[in-house]
Amino acid sequence: MLFNSLQFLAFLPLVFVFYWFVFRRLKWQNAFVVVASYVFYGWWNWHFLLLIFITSLCSYASGLLIDRAAAGSVRAKAVVAANLLINLGILGLFKYYNFFAESFSCLLMALGMHADLPTLKLILPVGISFYTFQALSYTIDVYRRRLPATRDAVAFFAYISFFPQLVAGPIERATQLLPQMQRQRTFGYEAATDGMRQMLWGFFKKMVVADNCALVANDVWADCANQSSAALAVGALMFTLQIYCDFSGYSDIAIGTARLFGINLSRNFDFPYFARNVSEFWRKWHISLMSWLTDYIYIPLGGNRVSRLKNVRNVGVVFLVSGLWHGANWTFVAWGVYHALLFIPLRIMGVKGRFDQPVAAGKVLPSVKELCQMLLTFALVVVGWILFRSDSMAQAMTYMHGMAAPCSVGEVLAALRMAKMPMAFGVVMIIAEWLQRTKQHALQIDGNWCVPLRMRSVRWALYVLIGAATVWFQGAQQSFIYFQF
């Protein structure tokens, strides 16, 4: 079920009413969350509910077995290994089997050997990478004794399947979300109203900015070999805005929806396009995934407590896994390698990615230095998105080669006319988020920087205007990009 659908518009208030007014006891609330979440996911394809059930059951059972074994014992390690094998095996079968089979066949053919490995006609389950990583974090944290294994199966199944973040994150840790499922929740008016404002902003970014940008980006990529360099540059810019507004818009809706039910989800984006270098970008983009990779891959490999050469290796592994996590295609691998090559020199030179102050702290406009840093970082990120968006490495190379070609003033003007509407919406979004860059989301308004917004009537007028614009200017409905991951 899509957030931006009429079905969800009917589903959410219905679930809200039953959750708070019918199923008031914690056990029944959690059971209802599981049922509602399975309906939400099964609306797309109910057959894959079995995979979520297996992942949840195996992870729940593994936690109990690990908790009964001695810390660090062979038995505990065997249980962790078995659960990793099951869950990663399911993920690998559906997401990576054909990719590796075809790649291995091509390698053998290049070496002069015949290979005819079978491929499978499998549909990739929506969000499988998200809920698999969420389940694995629980098993690993129980093994590390960061939290005790839960014996409340209903709460655990609710933790894995909680519908707002089930199919596209944030990837929640058991240490953060599971305790919320195990304690009585109360309705908070302030949290709920702020959650609705965050949802409204998420819908605007998705339905107005992302979906309109998608129309231009899709047209450019569909015939990239015959486009002018200006059109290719505009297409890359449109996809850059699309993927951010699509994914961060989903996260805003998910976080805001969860707050309606008394649940706090982790922040997933921190205005990444205002980053001053690539290292800061990765602290602000898809935060839940990068923190997961840091805690469960980077640090176990030694993190930055090893030699410089090994640290470079560790960074490379994290970005390689990040690329593969996004999809079974060499373009995603190349995208991960590309960002590793941008990130590693910063690490070697000791350039920090965590700044003491937000960009242009206490000022309306950035300094010339900050502006140059942001523009350079943004340009590097745009190039990376070309790899990410392309269907093949050949298409990516064709796209980049064409974008480097000279173009006329007429071609530039034509390209700008082609994208004038989504570009205008993108500018509105960027200005709003720049003014609110120290907040959790763009509609977290306290009136400190704008005197008229201290008036409740003015704020409500703004919300109505954004809501009306979302309905009036929405682009053709597009599925969320990260559903495929």
Side-chain angles (χ1 to χ4, degrees):
M1 188 182 298
L2 295 173
F3 281 159
N4 54 326
S5 66
L6 293 176
Q7 293 91 339
F8 184 74
L9 189 63
F11 173 83
L12 181 59
L14 189 64
V15 172
F16 180 86
V17 169
F18 274 84
Y19 180 88
W20 288 116
F21 298 103
V22 178
F23 302 104
R24 296 187 177 185
R25 293 181 58 187
L26 179 62
K27 199 80 171 181
W28 287 108
Q29 266 189 349
N30 285 338
F32 180 64
V33 165
V34 175
V35 172
S37 299
Y38 275 47
V39 170
F40 177 85
Y41 189 86
W43 202 272
W44 171 71
N45 190 326
W46 65 268
H47 296 89
F48 291 121
L49 290 174
L50 180 61
L51 296 181
I52 299 179
F53 179 81
I54 292 173
T55 294
S56 302
L57 182 63
C58 291
S59 299
Y60 171 74
S62 69
L64 295 177
L65 293 173
I66 293 167
D67 204 44
R68 293 172 184 170
S73 64
V74 174
R75 180 181 176 185
K77 291 179 180 178
V79 173
V80 173
N83 190 55
L84 290 175
L85 183 63
I86 292 170
N87 285 299
L88 292 178
I90 294 173
L91 178 64
L93 177 66
F94 280 90
K95 190 168 184 176
Y96 299 108
Y97 173 79
N98 287 344
F99 170 66
F100 285 115
E102 292 170 358
S103 298
F104 187 64
S105 295
C106 291
L107 176 62
L108 292 179
M109 291 177 65
L111 296 174
M113 294 180 280
H114 177 72
D116 189 19
L117 296 178
T119 56
L120 304 175
K121 294 182 179 179
L122 296 174
I123 300 174
L124 180 65
V126 169
I128 187 171
S129 297
F130 286 92
Y131 67 74
T132 298
F133 271 35
Q134 190 156 308
L136 293 180
S137 73
Y138 168 78
T139 303
I140 297 170
D141 284 347
V142 170
Y143 172 77
R144 293 175 173 178
R145 297 303 195 256
R146 290 183 175 177
L147 79 162
T150 181
R151 284 162 175 74
D152 187 342
V154 177
F156 183 80
F157 274 65
Y159 154 70
I160 295 295
S161 64
F162 187 46
F163 74 89
Q165 48 83 227
L166 173 60
V167 293
I171 303 171
E172 291 295 337
R173 308 292 183 83
T175 52
Q176 196 273 336
L177 181 56
L178 186 55
Q180 296 185 69
M181 293 297 180
Q182 294 174 311
R183 61 174 178 256
Q184 189 65 47
R185 298 176 287 275
T186 56
F187 180 77
Y189 177 79
E190 292 296 331
T193 53
D194 189 60
M196 293 182 70
R197 287 192 290 267
Q198 189 164 2
M199 290 173 65
L200 176 60
W201 186 244
F203 279 119
F204 176 82
K205 287 198 289 186
K206 164 59 181 171
M207 298 171 66
V208 177
V209 185
D211 287 354
N212 278 292
C213 287
L215 299 177
V216 178
N218 292 343
D219 286 344
V220 171
W221 250 276
D223 189 30
C224 63
N226 298 312
Q227 300 282 353
S228 69
S229 59
L232 293 172
V234 168
L237 178 61
M238 289 297 98
F239 180 71
T240 299
L241 293 176
Q242 178 198 351
I243 193 168
Y244 168 68
C245 291
D246 189 283
F247 193 19
S248 70
Y250 182 96
S251 295
D252 283 336
I253 299 168
I255 294 169
T257 301
R259 298 186 76 185
L260 295 178
F261 298 95
I263 298 292
N264 292 314
L265 298 180
S266 303
R267 188 174 189 178
N268 214 18
F269 289 86
D270 184 15
F271 310 119
Y273 288 164
F274 302 146
R276 285 157 284 189
N277 59 41
V278 172
S279 180
E280 186 184 19
F281 172 82
W282 280 108
R283 290 186 180 277
K284 295 173 175 290
W285 178 274
H286 202 174
I287 298 169
S288 63
L289 173 64
M290 294 312 295
S291 65
W292 197 102
L293 296 175
T294 298
D295 287 351
Y296 300 112
I297 295 180
Y298 180 72
I299 292 177
L301 287 174
N304 57 6
R305 303 184 309 275
V306 293
S307 67
R308 181 166 294 180
L309 183 61
K310 288 184 178 180
N311 182 239
V312 168
R313 176 206 63 187
N314 297 345
V315 171
V317 169
V318 165
F319 279 102
L320 181 62
V321 173
S322 174
L324 277 173
W325 181 91
H326 281 86
N329 194 318
W330 286 110
T331 55
F332 294 116
V333 175
W335 175 74
V337 171
Y338 170 77
H339 274 280
L341 294 175
L342 296 178
F343 191 96
I344 288 171
L346 298 177
R347 179 58 56 87
I348 292 174
M349 293 184 294
V351 177
K352 60 183 180 180
R354 189 189 299 276
F355 290 85
D356 297 329
Q357 296 289 332
V359 62
K363 298 182 293 184
V364 175
L365 298 175
S367 65
V368 174
K369 178 182 178 181
E370 288 173 325
L371 179 61
C372 292
Q373 289 173 328
M374 288 190 295
L375 290 176
L376 175 59
T377 302
F378 184 77
L380 293 172
V381 169
V382 170
V383 173
W385 289 134
I386 295 173
L387 291 167
F388 191 97
R389 173 62 177 79
S390 298
D391 296 326
S392 65
M393 288 301 299
Q395 186 184 49
M397 293 302 102
T398 298
Y399 198 106
M400 291 182 185
H401 183 266
M403 199 166 69
C407 65
S408 66
V409 174
E411 289 172 330
V412 172
L413 295 177
L416 293 175
R417 284 195 298 269
M418 171 182 65
K420 61 181 179 181
M421 181 175 289
M423 200 171 290
F425 294 137
V427 169
V428 171
M429 181 274 299
I430 290 170
I431 292 174
E433 295 208 334
W434 173 260
L435 294 173
Q436 294 288 84
R437 62 191 181 280
T438 60
K439 306 294 179 62
Q440 294 292 313
H441 59 88
L443 293 185
Q444 188 180 6
I445 298 170
D446 55 22
N448 288 336
W449 59 268
C450 185
V451 174
L453 289 178
R454 296 176 186 175
M455 298 173 59
R456 185 178 181 183
S457 58
V458 175
R459 292 199 302 272
W460 272 100
L462 176 64
Y463 304 147
V464 171
L465 178 62
I466 294 174
T470 301
V471 174
W472 186 261
F473 294 109
Q474 63 178 300
Q477 188 183 62
Q478 307 277 334
S479 179
F480 287 89
I481 293 174
Y482 269 68
F483 276 20
Q484 63 184 300
F485 307 137

